Amino acid sequence: MVDLREPMRELIQDPKTYTRDLEFPDPDKIFLYDDTLRDGEQMPGVAFSPQQKVELAELLSEIGVDVMDVAFPVSSESDRQALSLILQARRSGQIVNTVEVLAMCRSVQGDIDAVLQVVDASGVRPNDVSLLILSTLSDLHLKYKLGRMLLKREGRSDSEWLDMPVAFYREANIRMICDAITYARSKGIEQIEFAAEDASRGSLDYAIEWAEACIEAGGTRFCFSDTCGVFTPEGVDHYFPPIVEALGVQNGRVDLTAHFHNDFGLGALNTVRAVMHGATHPSITANGIGERAGNTSLHQFVMVLKELYGVTLPRFQYHRLHELRKAVERISGIPIQ
């Protein structure tokens, strides 16, 4: 180690020189939302056993994650078992009991029932689990991905698919997710995230209309998703400030998740930008694992926020990042570059 003859501040320009005047929410009100166990598992070649999910959930809860998306129960017996084991581990204290455990559903009653069956079999209450209920916001997805299903749900003929205007699918989509939220609330689930697939390519006005309807139906958190990984910081600047203002995010009316993918290497920067605008729940995965090029990396996000923007998360154990990295490499089989 060389003994520097000059003060460090005279030798280098601190990276925070250019960011120190930016305003961020109170760090105590930034909640890390981990997707390692569910969305992260979509990385090609990755498959976690239920027991491995419990092991990772324990480590993630200890390091300071606030929310964990752990399973899509209707999709497999493995996911149902993982959700059950994690709920029981939290109840026993093996997983930090303040961590929110979340399960994913489509806007389908059967998906919600699959979660409730696991909850009942695990001996916990419906309000011990949170739901993420999935829909979409882009007109491309509404008409050409969900269109036929929405037609059937509305009692219309499949032959009308291509001729029906986008406005029809927008309205049907709102009815579909609101019905799902209402059903989940009627079953005793209190924390319900309404998730918008492909939101980063959708209409801002429709996003606000859709979210308002979801809140009125009983939704408690809006998940804004950059499903295709095409967001830029300028795109975040376009969507997030008006959404935060219109929905009363800063007043606590509803929470807001920023769920971004990393196809162009912008996941961490875009997520920091969304948090700066008021997003309450940055969505991340350990080691950045996830479908295609991965999700926003937990490691990159917390360190960019701390070292480049001067925002330290009070509940996070930064000294355990290497331990987390090695655990995920070992269990996933995917080494970090």
Side-chain angles (χ1 to χ4, degrees), residues 10-30:
E10 293 182 7
L11 295 170
I12 62 166
Q13 187 79 290
D14 187 336
K16 292 187 285 294
T17 299
Y18 314 105
T19 61
R20 63 166 56 107
D21 294 330
L22 296 173
E23 292 187 9
F24 280 82
D26 179 352
D28 197 49
K29 296 180 179 178
I30 298 172

Side-chain angles (χ1 to χ4, degrees), residues 212-241:
E212 285 283 6
C214 291
I215 294 168
E216 289 299 316
T220 56
R221 188 166 60 230
F222 176 13
C223 178
F224 187 105
S225 302
D226 177 32
T227 304
C228 295
V230 296
F231 235 2
T232 61
E234 294 81 7
V236 177
D237 293 345
H238 170 75
Y239 285 97
F240 274 74

Side-chain angles (χ1 to χ4, degrees), residues 294-316:
N295 292 34
T296 295
S297 164
L298 183 156
H299 293 70
Q300 291 179 359
F301 171 76
V302 298
M303 293 308 296
V304 167
L305 198 63
K306 181 176 185 287
E307 298 298 334
L308 303 186
Y309 289 84
V311 179
T312 300
L313 302 177
R315 296 182 298 279
F316 192 76

Side-chain angles (χ1 to χ4, degrees), residues 138-148 161-164 166 169:
S138 78
D139 292 332
L140 176 66
H141 280 212
L142 278 174
K143 183 167 183 176
Y144 294 96
K145 180 179 179 180
L146 300 182
R148 289 178 170 176
W161 174 35
L162 297 179
D163 293 326
M164 293 296 286
V166 166
Y169 297 106

Side-chain angles (χ1 to χ4, degrees), residues 71-311:
F72 183 13
V74 80
S75 68
S76 70
E77 177 58 33
S78 176
D79 266 23
R80 290 189 286 276
Q81 186 180 356
L83 175 59
S84 179
L85 290 174
I86 288 171
L87 288 172
Q88 292 176 61
R90 187 183 60 178
R91 183 178 59 181
S92 69
Q94 181 181 346
I95 292 171
V96 176
N97 61 13
T98 55
V99 169
E100 177 186 338
V101 174
L102 179 143
M104 177 180 166
C105 302
R106 296 166 299 177
S107 298
V108 176
Q109 183 174 317
D111 286 22
I112 298 168
D113 288 339
V115 176
L116 292 168
Q117 289 163 9
V118 173
V119 166
D120 183 59
S122 304
V124 298
R125 302 165 300 171
N127 64 358
D128 288 329
V129 69
S130 299
L131 284 189
L132 179 146
I133 300 180
L134 183 65
S135 176
T136 189
L137 280 185
S138 78
D139 292 332
L140 176 66
H141 280 212
L142 278 174
K143 183 167 183 176
Y144 294 96
K145 180 179 179 180
L146 300 182
R148 289 178 170 176
M149 182 268 291
L150 289 170
L151 279 170
K152 182 178 180 180
R153 193 176 183 279
E154 294 287 317
R156 306 296 292 260
S157 169
D158 190 69
S159 64
E160 299 180 82
W161 174 35
L162 297 179
D163 293 326
M164 293 296 286
V166 166
F168 167 84
Y169 297 106
R170 287 186 175 189
E171 293 168 6
N173 182 48
I174 288 175
R175 284 190 288 272
M176 178 181 67
I177 192 166
C178 287
D179 286 350
I181 293 170
T182 301
Y183 178 73
R185 289 302 293 257
S186 75
K187 296 297 182 179
I189 297 176
E190 297 177 359
Q191 299 297 319
I192 300 175
E193 184 164 21
F194 43 100
E197 190 177 52
D198 207 26
S200 59
R201 300 192 299 173
S203 158
L204 174 58
D205 290 340
Y206 180 60
I208 293 172
E209 177 189 359
W210 177 89
E212 285 283 6
C214 291
I215 294 168
E216 289 299 316
T220 56
R221 188 166 60 230
F222 176 13
C223 178
F224 187 105
S225 302
D226 177 32
T227 304
C228 295
V230 296
F231 235 2
T232 61
E234 294 81 7
V236 177
D237 293 345
H238 170 75
Y239 285 97
F240 274 74
I243 286 173
V244 167
E245 181 177 358
L247 302 182
V249 173
Q250 292 176 326
N251 298 327
R253 179 172 176 243
V254 69
D255 290 330
L256 179 59
T257 300
H259 175 86
F260 302 156
H261 289 258
N262 201 39
D263 296 69
F264 287 91
L266 295 172
L269 178 60
N270 287 338
T271 305
V272 167
R273 195 78 180 171
V275 168
M276 187 189 76
H277 288 311
T280 56
H281 288 66
S283 169
I284 37 76
T285 63
N287 294 10
I289 64 172
E291 59 186 314
R292 302 188 312 273
N295 292 34
T296 295
S297 164
L298 183 156
H299 293 70
Q300 291 179 359
F301 171 76
V302 298
M303 293 308 296
V304 167
L305 198 63
K306 181 176 185 287
E307 298 298 334
L308 303 186
Y309 289 84
V311 179

